[in-house]
Amino acid sequence: MSHIIYMYILVMAVVTYLIRMLPLTLLRKEIRNRTLKSFLYYVPYVTLAVMTFPAILTSGELFLPGLAGFITALILSWKGKSLIVVAAVSCLVVYLTESLLMFTGILI
């Protein structure tokens, strides 16, 4: 059974390597297409958002504290606050919302 796990790891390593290696070997010229450059510029941000957004909403016991923290983070980010302030205040809002829900008996 363990040899199957090693095979899975090997296949994942090869696929990951190919995904990273092929663009470097096939695209040797500078990309001049403005649309493609713009698309490639935003790929890391979109990928990070897609990976973290579901975790934000499902990290706690209930949906509401995660949503409250997310909305807080959006508002603070929109107002130009620093990353530390946004993260700290959002965590505090999630904690306080969960505590309030526990106190009222909604979350047991």
Side-chain angles (χ1 to χ4, degrees):
M1 185 69 170
S2 67
H3 64 285
I4 293 174
I5 293 173
Y6 290 124
M7 187 59 113
Y8 286 151
I9 293 171
L10 177 66
V11 169
M12 287 187 300
V14 169
V15 169
T16 303
Y17 178 74
L18 287 176
I19 288 171
R20 294 170 189 265
M21 187 257 323
L22 285 177
L24 291 174
T25 57
L26 297 178
L27 303 174
R28 294 186 183 257
K29 295 186 224 174
E30 180 183 348
I31 299 172
R32 298 199 178 177
N33 185 337
R34 289 179 58 162
T35 306
L36 184 58
K37 280 178 98 169
S38 176
F39 171 77
L40 291 174
Y41 177 79
Y42 288 108
V43 165
Y45 302 110
V46 171
T47 305
L48 180 63
V50 167
M51 291 184 335
T52 58
F53 183 71
I56 290 170
L57 298 179
T58 60
S59 62
E61 296 285 330
L62 288 177
F63 177 77
L64 186 61
L67 183 63
F70 177 70
I71 291 171
T72 302
L74 280 179
I75 292 170
L76 292 174
S77 300
W78 192 267
K79 292 185 178 254
K81 302 299 180 188
S82 71
L83 179 62
I84 297 295
V85 171
V86 171
V89 173
S90 298
C91 288
L92 183 64
V93 166
V94 169
Y95 174 74
L96 292 175
T97 306
E98 240 178 40
S99 296
L100 180 67
L101 291 175
M102 282 179 109
F103 181 73
T104 58
I106 295 173
L107 179 64
I108 298 173

